[in-house]
Amino acid sequence: MSAPSAEVRIAVEIVVDRPVAQVFAYLSDVRNDQQWWRGIHSARRVAGDGGVGTVYELDATLLRVRHQTRIEVTAQEPQRSQSIAVRSGPLPYTAHYEWTELAPARTRFRLVAEIAAVRPWTWFGPLLNPLLSLLARRYFRRVPAIIEAATAA
């Protein structure tokens, strides 16, 4: 008998006042996530050069549960899109990132994640989707200021 799961879909969009190349370079490298996603204790690249096939290991806490996750870049079109998928870890998900140039120094970033939540996260029941959506929006709101400060001339 398999553990019960819940399907969760999260969509987040932000605008960063920097060129698409800078926003892509920052957000496509999962090692940077620990700078803005509060629950990530460490993120390291264990294989690859950042493109398709690159594997990262994360040590993170989500909703008070600490876990290790290994994710892989499964598709990438530099400065336009990237997809990642969990290869091992307790919270299976896939995420698709899109970057759109709005102006020479203004970029829209969009994330859509599909999560197949299993225990212990299913214990949150119908609150899981709004909780994860709230966390994603809260943490992604921090990203523009971080990128803008890091790339200021």
Side-chain angles (χ1 to χ4, degrees):
M1 181 190 228
S2 63
S5 67
E7 295 299 318
V8 176
R9 183 176 187 276
I10 297 171
V12 178
E13 188 174 295
I14 59 171
V15 174
V16 182
D17 289 328
R18 288 294 180 265
V20 69
Q22 290 177 353
V23 180
F24 175 82
Y26 183 83
L27 287 172
S28 67
D29 188 339
V30 175
R31 295 174 297 182
N32 291 323
D33 289 7
Q34 63 186 332
Q35 296 174 19
W36 56 271
W37 190 280
R38 186 173 165 227
I40 297 179
H41 308 290
S42 68
R44 65 186 188 100
R45 186 187 298 168
V46 295
D49 60 3
V52 174
T54 297
V55 177
Y56 296 92
E57 285 183 349
L58 303 176
D59 175 18
T61 299
L62 179 64
L63 303 175
R64 299 189 182 256
V65 177
R66 190 152 185 173
H67 58 92
Q68 303 293 314
T69 299
R70 185 174 276 231
I71 63 172
E72 180 180 351
V73 177
T74 58
Q76 186 179 78
E77 187 178 344
Q79 299 184 31
R80 302 195 79 176
S81 65
Q82 177 174 293
S83 295
I84 62 171
V86 169
R87 293 300 180 222
S88 66
L91 188 63
Y93 69 88
T94 58
H96 182 70
Y97 307 148
E98 293 177 355
W99 291 265
T100 305
E101 183 179 73
L102 300 176
R106 191 167 172 82
T107 302
R108 178 177 53 228
F109 171 77
R110 179 170 164 77
L111 157 74
V112 176
E114 303 283 340
I115 303 164
V118 295
R119 285 191 179 127
W121 290 277
T122 55
W123 297 336
F124 290 94
L127 295 176
L128 184 64
N129 196 329
L131 279 172
L132 292 178
S133 293
L134 175 69
L135 285 175
R137 283 192 309 273
R138 175 184 297 161
Y139 294 141
F140 270 97
R141 272 197 307 259
R142 301 173 62 190
V143 170
I146 292 170
I147 294 174
E148 291 163 14
T151 59

